[in-house]
Amino acid sequence: MKHALSPRQVHLDFHTSPLMEGIGSQFSHENFQEALKFGHLTSITVFAKCHHGMCYYPTKIGTMHPHLDFDLLGEMLDAAHEIGVKAPIYITAGWSALDAEQHPEWRARRKDGSYSVVNIDPNAAPDNPRPECSWADLCLNDGSYAEHIYALTREICDRYARIDGLFYDIVFNYHACWCDECRAGMRAMGLDPEKDGDARLYYVRKHQDFTRKCGEILHEKHPDASIYFNSGGADQYQPEFHGASTHFELEDLPTAWGGYNKMPPRARYFANTGKDYLGMTGKFHLDWGEIGGFKLPEALRYETAAMMAYGARCSIGDHLHPSGRMEPETYRNIGYAYEYAEQIEPYCFGGKPAARLGLYLSGDARSDDGATNMLLEAQRDFGIVYENSFEPFDTVIFPDCAVPDEEGVKALQAFLARGGRVLFTGRILVKDGAFQVDAGLEYVGGPLHKRDFLCVNDELGENVVRAPMLCYFGAEQVRAKGAQVLATALEPYFDRTYAHYNGHRNASYNPADSGRPAAAQYGNILYLAHPLCRMYRDFGAVYHKRVFLNALNRLDPHPVLETELPSAGRATVIRQPEQHRYCVHLLYGIPSRRGAAEVIEDLPALFDVPVTVRVPETIRSVRLEPEGTALPFTCRDGAVSFRVPRLQCHAVAVLEE
C-alpha cells in the first residue's frame, strides 16, 4: 500500500515508570496544540503502550498506568485532530517490562536457553545501578505474546473512530529465537532448532506473519491508516522484512547513532522502493530517553534540510514529561528547523535522483559505509543499485566483498555490454577463485600480508604522495592478463609477530620486492586490489580516498553534478518531472566529535560556490529558492554552470526546463 507521509513530524516517547505519580496531570489541549503549532508540525506520533508495559488509555487487554486517571491517548488524538495534525499511535512490541515480569514464557531466548536481554545483568541486586537502555526481549514470532499484541491492536482500533496510523516499536529482526514456543513451532514445520539456518527461516516466516496480521487488524476498520514496524523495518540489508510497512522511518539519530553520513545512502536505497520514507533525528543532545537533553536549533535545521535534500520527510524525537506538559523550549527549537523545512518542501519531494553513478551494496556495512563516506565527502552524487537493476546508471561501484547472485552477474554483464563502467575493489566479484567478469586479470589469491604498501602510477597520482603508502589491509593477489597496471603493491619485510617485529606498529616495505598489480584498468573496468572502502571507513586516510576518487574520475570524468565544496559539504540533485525542473541541494555543516556525540554548533557561510549540472534537457532559468533569486548561468555541451553567491547550512538551486 502506498501511503503519503506527512512532511514534518515529531515522535513523542513516553516511557514512564509505574513508580511515578501525577501522570498527565498537567496535560491540556491548549498546551499540546500550542506546541504543535509552534513547532510547525503536520503529524505527531503519540503513545498507547510504553516499554514499561504501561498503557495510557482505559484498557481491558493491557495494564493502564496506575497513576493515570483519564484517557490520555484519546485526549492527545482529539487535540491533534482539532488543529489538523495527524497522530499515529505508538505501541511497544519487543520490550515491555511488565509483560516480561508477569509472563516469563513470553520472553525470547538464545540458542543456549538463556534469556535474550539488552544491558541486563541477571545477577544484579535490586539496588545496583541499572545501565541505560536495559530491557528484556519478548518473542514476536506469532505465538502467545503476539496474540496479546493482536488483542491490544484490536482494542485500540475498536476504541477510536479515527486512527491515522500505528507505529510498532522494537520489532527486532534478530537472527532467531529459541524460546519453547519457537522450538516447538520449528519442529511442527519440520525444521531442526539446532540448525541455525532452520531457526532463521522460521524466524523470518513468523515475523512476516506477525507484521501481516497486525496490518490486517488495523486495516479492517481503518483501511487508509499507515503502519510501520520499527527496529529493523528499514534495514537495507534485510528486505525480507519490508513488505508489511506502508512506509519507512530511517531511525538515524546522527549525534550518537552512526553519524551524519548514515542517512543519505539509506535514503537513496529506500527511494527505489516506491514507498515514502522519512528520516528520524532527535531533539536530544544524544539519543532516546535523554530527558532534558537539547540539541541546538541550528543542528536541527541542518539535519532536517539534509533529510529533505535526499527526499526524506522529517521526524524529530521528543520525550514527554510525566505530567503531560509539552516543553515550549523543545518546540521553539523544532519550529526553527521546521519553519525552514516548510519553505523548501516544494523542491524536495515528488522527484527522482538524477545521479548516473550507482553503488552496489556489498552486504558488509563497513565497506558500504567507507564507499559512501568517500563519495559524500567528494560531493559525488550517487544512487543505490536496487534488485540488480543497473539501467539508471552509467558507472557502478562494487565495494570490497560483494558477490552478486547469478541474476546479478547476468545483469552486470549486460550492463558492461552496453558500455557501462565498473569500479570494483578488494575481493569483490570473486567466486570459486576467479573474477566473475573479464577484467583483464587473473585472480591468484588472498593477501600475502596483513598490511602492505601502495605505489600509484601517474594515472592515479593526482594529489597523492608518490612514496609507498601504508595500507592497513593487504591487497588481493592478481596477475595482469591484458589490463593496464595503474599501481603496485609492495610487501613489508614481515608481518608483526612476537618473533618478527619492528618499532611500534609495522615493518617497512621491502625494497627487494618488485611489486604486483594493485590497480588495473581493462576498458570500462577498473580494479583496486586493496579493500579501500573498508579501509577508509576504519582508518580515514585521505590519500586512500584520493586514490579511490582518482580511479572513479578516470572512469567517470563528467558526473551529473559537480561543485567545489569542502569535504564537509554535501551535494545532490533530483529531477521533478511533473514540474519540468531539476533541484540541486547544497549543504554545509561541520560536525565535530565532542565526547560521546557528533555536534553541529557553527554553520559558517561559504560564498561564490561554483556548480555544474549535466542534463539532456534545455535549461531556461536558474534561481535560488525559497528566496526566488535569479542566477546567471551558462550552457555548453549539455553542462549548465552557475554560482551560488552564499551558502549557509542549505541552499537549493532550481533549474527550469
Side-chain angles (χ1 to χ4, degrees), residues 574-645:
I574 63 168
R575 182 166 188 260
Q576 294 177 318
E578 293 184 6
Q579 291 82 8
H580 304 287
R581 68 190 184 195
Y582 288 85
C583 298
V584 178
H585 291 268
L586 304 178
L587 292 146
Y588 187 62
I590 308 176
S592 59
R593 172 61 59 175
R594 300 184 187 173
E598 284 195 29
V599 174
I600 288 181
E601 180 176 6
D602 305 312
L603 290 172
L606 300 176
F607 299 92
D608 202 30
V609 179
V611 180
T612 295
V613 184
R614 295 178 176 86
V615 296
E617 295 81 7
T618 299
I619 298 302
R620 306 187 185 280
S621 69
V622 179
R623 67 180 189 275
L624 282 181
E625 294 292 357
E627 302 91 336
T629 304
L631 297 179
F633 66 98
T634 61
C635 293
R636 183 176 180 181
D637 298 328
V640 181
S641 298
F642 56 92
R643 289 179 177 269
V644 175

Side-chain angles (χ1 to χ4, degrees), residues 323-446:
S323 69
R325 180 179 178 274
M326 301 281 270
E327 172 52 61
E329 288 291 344
T330 291
Y331 290 86
R332 251 189 288 274
N333 286 358
I334 291 173
Y336 177 81
Y338 276 173
E339 183 179 20
Y340 180 70
E342 190 171 1
Q343 297 176 47
I344 64 172
E345 282 169 13
Y347 315 105
C348 299
F349 309 135
K352 293 185 177 181
R356 301 291 296 172
L357 173 64
L359 177 68
Y360 192 99
L361 294 180
S362 70
D364 179 84
R366 291 165 66 196
S367 295
D368 295 339
D369 288 351
T372 58
N373 289 351
M374 289 188 282
L375 295 174
L376 291 168
E377 291 164 15
Q379 297 87 48
R380 290 299 298 261
D381 199 15
F382 64 94
I384 300 294
V385 177
Y386 186 72
E387 295 182 342
N388 291 322
S389 176
F390 293 87
E391 284 75 14
F393 306 114
D394 298 326
T395 304
V396 173
I397 298 167
F398 286 79
D400 295 350
C401 56
V403 180
D405 57 19
E406 184 176 345
E407 178 185 345
V409 172
K410 289 180 180 178
L412 172 59
Q413 290 170 340
F415 172 72
L416 290 168
R418 69 172 173 84
R421 303 181 288 263
V422 170
L423 172 63
F424 66 112
T425 63
R427 194 179 167 77
I428 202 119
L429 296 175
V430 174
K431 185 178 181 181
D432 299 328
F435 288 118
Q436 294 175 286
V437 296
D438 183 6
L441 297 166
E442 177 187 354
Y443 183 77
V444 177

